[in-house]
Amino acid sequence: EQRQYPVTYKGFPANLSAAIVVEATYSAPGTKQFRILSQTGSKMLADHVLKKLLEAEQESAADPRQTAPTAANYNFTLVGQQMIDGRPCYQLQVEPKTKSRLLYRGTIWVDADDFAVAKIEAEPARNPSFWIRDTKIHHVNAKTGEFWLPEHNESDTDVRLGGRATLTIDYGAYKMDSSDPRTQQAALQSQASELRK
């Protein structure tokens, strides 16, 4: 799939922006590779924000069990039910069992029919950097055929020096190289590990 990663920063010492376009390839059971197709804007933002994000994604793909929304990683509390895009969902409060930088705390909406995560509103379990004061994650998955895959992710971060950064991930169209359902299911499980973002 082809993804776009734009980031903007407004604050001290200047307003900056950067973007990369990436080709992402997943191979079951746990290998994710990225090829940067283009890079524009601030080299500092691209190198220290966007490329670090790609490294974290590769790390989480190597062992999806460490980041999956399961009882091994989270405590869950049912707080209600809500319709998301015309589908009934369970609304759950999630609290990570460890302060891993790859986990999050907040609210998730789980599709009542498929038991797939449809939406996340959360913050990282552990602050990834001293320079970051607060991060809010807004993530949406969409049902594509019989699979639930990431569609859009936005993270808003307050920086200690007084600025604000907004990172967006626009996931492109997904392409399965195999018609084998087991391979497709493995790819879906890998994508689900990205739900911490």
Side-chain angles (χ1 to χ4, degrees), residues 5-175:
Y5 291 74
V7 61
T8 59
Y9 169 77
K10 295 181 179 177
F12 178 82
N15 294 343
L16 303 171
S17 64
I20 58 174
V21 176
V22 172
E23 181 181 76
T25 305
Y26 173 77
S27 301
T31 303
K32 187 177 284 185
Q33 296 179 332
F34 297 101
R35 184 168 65 94
I36 296 175
L37 303 176
S38 66
Q39 177 178 320
T40 57
S42 165
K43 184 173 182 342
M44 187 271 298
L45 281 181
D47 289 347
H48 296 285
V49 176
L50 300 176
K51 290 178 183 175
K52 295 289 185 190
L53 177 61
L54 296 181
E55 289 172 12
E57 283 192 50
Q58 286 177 310
E59 181 183 340
S60 68
D63 188 359
R65 294 171 300 178
Q66 290 185 353
T67 58
T70 63
N73 296 323
Y74 293 96
N75 292 314
F76 298 91
T77 304
L78 179 64
V79 294
Q81 291 185 313
Q82 187 176 358
M83 297 295 282
I84 303 288
D85 290 334
R87 297 181 64 96
C89 291
Y90 299 110
Q91 187 177 358
L92 301 166
Q93 194 71 30
V94 294
E95 187 66 33
K97 291 186 174 178
T98 63
K99 286 193 173 185
S100 167
R101 67 186 183 90
L102 300 176
L103 300 179
Y104 54 85
R105 72 173 38 85
T107 305
I108 64 173
W109 287 260
V110 176
D111 186 86
D113 295 325
D114 295 343
F115 297 102
V117 176
K119 180 179 169 184
I120 300 170
E121 298 286 338
E123 60 188 40
R126 189 181 83 198
N127 216 345
S129 167
F130 167 79
W131 299 105
I132 293 173
R133 187 172 62 225
D134 185 40
T135 298
K136 300 294 183 202
I137 302 163
H138 316 279
H139 183 90
V140 176
N141 290 328
K143 190 168 185 180
T144 304
E146 60 184 287
F147 300 109
W148 285 83
L149 301 170
E151 180 178 68
H152 183 81
N153 185 300
E154 183 174 302
S155 299
D156 297 308
T157 300
D158 290 329
V159 180
R160 287 193 190 277
L161 295 177
R164 184 172 184 82
T166 301
L167 166 69
T168 305
I169 305 172
D170 288 316
Y171 297 86
Y174 291 91
K175 190 167 52 172

